[in-house]
Amino acid sequence: EVQLVESGGGLVQPGGSLRLSCTASGFTSSGHWMTWVRQAPGKGLEWVANINQIGGETHYVDSVKGRFTISRDNAKNSVFLQMNNLGVEDTAVYYCCRNGYTFDYWGQGTLVTVSS
Amino acid sequence: EKVMTQSPATLSVSPGERATLSCRASQSISNNLAWYQQKPGQAPRLLIYGASTRAPGVPARFSGSGSGTEFTLTISSLQSEDFGVYYCQRYGSWPLTFGGGTKVEIK
């Protein structure tokens, strides 16, 4: 069974940093692009970033460029999102998703709250 | 940026009725469109990709159509488990973008 489990969310002050992790099981994640999508409370979905199979190609939504970094460790079947200089507008549930264009599996999400 | 606009924002439907959801792209996206269903407190679920191909396990009552800038998701006979928010999403180039969603509620 394919599973994606996110961790690392929590409460952080504006300007702070967090590192999200996503651990995959039930498939070989090295064979897939991986993606982070977020959803602010009561709002819609927003694509954040994705990374190719070997980590050599990454893409970001403009609002996080220069602040967020997506990476992966295929030996650990894991994908990460390093988030720096967080603002209140980054408050959201962050989902880890399989694939780079359409997302056939999603984790249950991890909540990031940016507040003073 | 290619903006995706969904309508209506809310659709009230009785069980057993047909539901038609629309998604419009600000520029042509060929058939690079997916649809997702999200229920409260749950992660989204992929329903349709390539504008009209059902994802594995998706019931046949869900169908997608369209190409270019105009797309439609049709639920032929709404079941109780189909209520929730539906999102369209364009792909094929970055940034990937979602529509604002259509909430399908019980009439």
Side-chain angles (χ1 to χ4, degrees), chain B residues 87-104:
Chain B
Y87 295 94
C88 62
Q89 176 234 329
R90 58 157 289 277
Y91 56 94
S93 63
W94 285 275
L96 309 180
T97 51
F98 290 89
T102 291
K103 182 179 181 180
V104 176

Side-chain angles (χ1 to χ4, degrees), chain B residues 40-79:
Chain B
Q42 297 185 16
R45 170 196 181 194
L46 177 66
L47 296 175
I48 301 282
Y49 61 93
S52 60
T53 302
R54 276 189 299 277
V58 175
R61 64 181 180 272
F62 291 91
S63 63
S65 62
S67 66
T69 61
E70 300 285 342
F71 300 88
T72 300
L73 175 69
T74 301
I75 310 172
S76 59
S77 176
L78 207 75
Q79 305 298 302

Side-chain angles (χ1 to χ4, degrees), chain B residues 2-49:
Chain B
K2 294 174 181 173
V3 176
M4 306 302 294
T5 303
Q6 290 187 243
S7 62
T10 303
L11 187 62
S12 297
V13 185
S14 299
E17 289 188 342
R18 183 185 195 90
T20 303
L21 290 67
S22 296
C23 176
R24 173 177 292 178
S26 59
Q27 303 174 47
S28 177
I29 59 170
S30 185
N31 67 337
N32 293 326
L33 186 98
W35 290 95
Y36 299 84
Q37 174 196 62
Q38 188 178 32
K39 298 179 183 180
Q42 297 185 16
R45 170 196 181 194
L46 177 66
L47 296 175
I48 301 282
Y49 61 93

